[in-house]
Amino acid sequence: MAQIPKTGPGTSTRNAALQFMPGIPALVRHIVFAGALTCKGQTLQGLGDAGITRPPSYQLTIKRLPSMTVERTLSIIKPDATRRNLTGAINKCFEDAGLRIVAQRRINLTREQAEGFYAVHKERPFYNDLCAFMTSGPVVVQVLEGEDAIVKNREIMGATNPDDAAPGTIRKLFAENVEANSVHGSDSPENATMEIKFFFQDSEIVG
């Protein structure tokens, strides 16, 4: 059993921890640095093969490290991509990055649906062309789930203009132009909630 040394004047708790680190697996060392040593003596169990006997003056307190938030976001695979049979290739990008598809439907948007979905852009000069494009062929609407899914989805998609998109992103790989840029993704938690509800009932989303 490894003995945790006592600290003396001028010796920090971190330095004391470092002295018994070498023989302890990396995961245990990581946990130790996330905690603090306080008073109490007993054998520390549950750390694999590295049992640590603590003298009466020490106890290891473990603090949980912050975790990322599991989110859901709406994804649309646009007509230019479905026309070229790219649904599988695009979804592979999402899944390879750790996102899961928890709801999915292939549909033909009506003009009314397109106008409702893109109502936020109604005063923009590209609004009519956008609605016409989104109703020009089938789309795949789907819900993606994962840690920080909203930001991660947008990183995977790349910039709106494929000329500005980073290498390896969906739009750099597959988009034809700014309008026919293959994918749509929610840009905020609030919009993700609204956009998911636009296409799916809660009972249709299976996590």
Side-chain angles (χ1 to χ4, degrees), residues 77-90 106 174:
I77 300 177
K78 295 181 177 181
D80 67 287
T82 60
R83 171 174 48 80
R84 290 175 289 152
N85 252 0
L86 294 174
T87 299
I90 288 172
R106 184 182 174 98
F174 304 122

Side-chain angles (χ1 to χ4, degrees), residues 75-156:
S75 167
I76 301 178
I77 300 177
K78 295 181 177 181
D80 67 287
T82 60
R83 171 174 48 80
R84 290 175 289 152
N85 252 0
L86 294 174
T87 299
I90 288 172
N91 281 336
K92 186 176 187 300
C93 295
F94 294 135
E95 292 177 330
D96 285 351
L99 296 177
R100 296 194 307 141
I101 301 167
V102 294
Q104 186 182 74
R105 184 183 302 125
R106 184 182 174 98
I107 61 174
N108 283 302
L109 285 175
T110 65
R111 179 74 188 201
E112 183 180 10
Q113 284 176 313
E115 289 177 350
F117 185 79
Y118 288 108
V120 65
H121 299 306
K122 191 169 186 178
E123 302 306 317
R124 301 287 188 89
F126 59 79
Y127 175 71
N128 284 329
D129 288 342
L130 175 61
C131 290
F133 167 65
M134 292 299 291
T135 57
S136 66
V139 300
V140 175
V141 293
Q142 54 193 14
V143 179
L144 304 178
E145 180 182 81
E147 292 181 343
D148 293 332
I150 297 167
V151 170
K152 184 178 287 187
N153 178 36
R154 294 186 68 79
E155 289 174 348
I156 297 165

Side-chain angles (χ1 to χ4, degrees), residues 3-7 13-14 16-17 20 31-45 47 52-63:
Q3 297 291 324
I4 297 180
K6 293 186 178 182
T7 55
T13 304
R14 180 184 176 89
F20 71 90
I31 292 173
V32 168
F33 281 122
L37 295 172
T38 55
C39 287
K40 266 189 192 177
Q42 53 190 310
T43 300
L44 181 65
Q45 303 293 338
L47 296 180
I52 302 172
T53 302
R54 294 183 301 227
S57 57
Y58 293 98
Q59 170 181 310
L60 186 63
T61 301
I62 306 298
K63 294 180 181 179

